[in-house]
Amino acid sequence: MGGRIFSGVQPTGNLHLGNYLGAIRNWVALQEQYESIFCVVDMHAITMPPWEPEALRAHTREVTAAYIAAGIDPQRCVIFVQSHVAAHAQLAWVFNCVAAIGWLNRMTQFKDKAGKDREGAMAGLYVYPVLMAADVLAYRATHVPVGEDQKQHLELMRDIAGAFNRRYDVDFFPLPEPLILGTATRVMSLRDGRAKMSKSDPSDNSRINLTDDADTIARKVRRAKSDSEMGLSWEPERRPEAANLLNIYAALAEEPREAVVERFAASSFADFKGTLADLAVARLAPIAGEMRRLLADPGHIDAILRAGAERAEAIASDNLAQVYDIVGFLRR
Ligand code: AQP
């Protein structure tokens, strides 16, 4: 084994192609090489509205089903829900006393998500990257497979781990390495090639959801924004929509991007989209089908999550006890 990986997805609904290609699909291959811990990060999901308890429960099971449907093996890996293991919140508090406010002020995701009303944003959204550091470091994970948008949070996590080690003069936490893998580390919106494909985009046509059926997937690909030039080319600055669709094709086909660009150089957008729609349906419809099958038996999903929480708890509570000793908390 090459070390330990930890990663997670928020159960905020609308799990999409970006989450799949940028994160979940890569985990399937990594589970062979690393001891793997995959979390459904529900505590992160309440940092922003909507606050809908029933939907949160449903989305938590949905993300779990997506992990398994994509090929993550719950026997081999630990799959669990963040709020089931108290050490995440407990370690986050310690890290809140390690991370400087100036570090958090630099986080672009907070600025993006808080928007204009920064004073009205929740404190939880502001300290989100601190909780994320606790998620990973509670397991002393060495590698974190994520999409490109999480790079800055990973750097902050390394700063927190390093500052903790220095402050207490220990070599306790590793400095986790990001694993940003594949050709689709940043999948863009189908409506705007310069915006990230995202769960919170109000337009459902901007993304392919993992729960979309075959007809919906095909329709969204055919209606994706394109430009009026003949043929396709790889010019991300000038033709972001063409670049995004070529990238998605290469990632889904698992082919080098250069080969895909060459093959479709003379194709019309309409022909290319037809081929891409078929490929997307072939790759994604079986995952959606398996998710539906798993979600029909919530008891089974809950049992997997309970078993996962026990395994996660055993690792995290031991690490937390050592952290408490290091910082000088009296033993109970
Ligand atoms: N567009 C994307 N391309 C590649 N990877 C992506 N990820 C997210 N969007 C893309 C990766 O998916 C993992 C889980 O993300 P998350 O759900 O925890 O949080 P997020 O990054 O905030 O996801 P969204 O879809 O962008 O949600 P909203 O709209 O709420 O901001 C991460 O590894 C992420 O890199």
Side-chain angles (χ1 to χ4, degrees):
M1 287 278 163
R4 179 181 281 166
I5 58 175
F6 180 99
S7 200
V9 170
Q10 294 186 66
T12 37
N14 302 329
L15 208 56
H16 56 74
L17 185 65
N19 301 133
Y20 177 64
L21 293 177
I24 301 172
R25 189 178 70 172
N26 299 321
W27 305 351
V28 179
L30 292 169
Q31 67 183 336
E32 313 284 339
Q33 303 156 39
Y34 293 89
E35 184 189 344
S36 303
I37 304 176
F38 299 121
C39 190
V40 185
V41 287
D42 56 348
M43 288 157 67
H44 289 283
I46 61 164
T47 54
M48 298 248 322
W51 291 287
E52 293 168 347
E54 272 318 311
L56 180 57
R57 273 185 275 277
H59 293 147
T60 299
R61 292 195 180 102
E62 197 174 292
V63 173
T64 309
Y67 288 179
I68 300 167
I72 294 164
D73 176 358
Q75 303 297 327
R76 184 191 290 245
C77 308
V78 177
I79 300 180
F80 76 107
V81 177
Q82 185 183 28
S83 64
H84 289 179
V85 177
H88 291 247
Q90 292 167 307
L91 184 59
W93 177 254
V94 175
F95 285 168
N96 274 328
C97 303
V98 174
I101 287 175
W103 300 357
L104 293 175
N105 285 342
R106 287 199 290 272
M107 294 299 112
T108 54
Q109 184 170 299
F110 173 74
K111 291 179 200 162
D112 293 346
K113 290 199 168 178
K116 288 198 184 75
D117 184 19
R118 209 177 292 184
E119 294 293 307
M122 300 299 115
L125 185 65
Y126 185 66
V127 293
Y128 178 117
V130 178
L131 178 59
M132 182 170 158
D135 296 337
V136 173
L137 291 167
Y139 302 90
R140 295 207 275 174
T142 53
H143 296 82
V144 188
V146 282
E148 227 166 68
D149 58 325
Q150 292 298 328
K151 219 167 149 183
Q152 195 185 34
H153 289 164
L154 255 295
E155 273 155 27
L156 181 78
M157 184 183 300
R158 291 164 59 87
D159 288 343
I160 291 174
F164 179 95
N165 288 346
R166 277 192 304 282
R167 178 188 291 172
Y168 294 104
D169 196 19
V170 289
D171 190 16
F172 186 72
F173 287 119
L175 305 190
E177 297 279 349
L179 290 177
I180 298 174
L181 301 168
T183 36
T185 56
R186 194 169 166 79
V187 177
M188 309 310 276
S189 157
L190 298 182
R191 309 301 309 164
D192 174 0
R194 296 187 198 279
K196 192 181 83 145
M197 184 178 284
S198 132
K199 296 185 193 120
S200 49
D201 192 316
S203 164
D204 194 57
N205 288 325
S206 70
R207 64 183 159 259
I208 296 176
N209 300 308
L210 287 191
T211 46
D212 283 346
D213 61 24
D215 287 349
T216 309
I217 296 172
R219 180 174 47 76
K220 286 180 177 175
V221 172
R222 290 212 185 83
R223 288 195 189 160
K225 188 172 170 201
S226 47
D227 57 46
S228 53
E229 291 189 32
M230 294 294 290
L232 284 121
S233 58
W234 178 256
E235 294 172 85
E237 280 306 315
R238 203 174 65 78
R239 303 184 69 190
E241 282 80 22
N244 187 36
L245 295 182
L246 286 164
N247 228 1
I248 291 174
Y249 186 99
L252 286 172
E254 298 184 70
E255 285 179 32
R257 182 200 295 140
E258 297 71 25
V260 173
V261 173
E262 208 180 302
R263 176 149 14 111
F264 293 104
S267 298
S268 70
F269 244 114
D271 287 347
F272 171 63
K273 281 181 178 174
T275 314
L276 176 59
D278 290 345
L279 175 66
V281 168
R283 290 287 191 273
L284 300 177
I287 297 176
E290 181 61 7
M291 279 176 72
R292 271 194 294 277
R293 195 187 66 76
L294 288 160
L295 287 167
D297 185 359
H300 177 62
I301 292 184
D302 292 356
I304 289 172
L305 291 173
R306 262 197 309 278
E310 270 175 36
R311 290 163 68 192
E313 169 99 59
I315 305 170
S317 62
D318 180 54
N319 284 333
L320 185 76
Q322 294 187 61
V323 169
Y324 277 13
D325 268 346
I326 291 169
V327 305
F329 291 165
L330 206 58
R331 287 195 191 172
R332 198 164 56 169

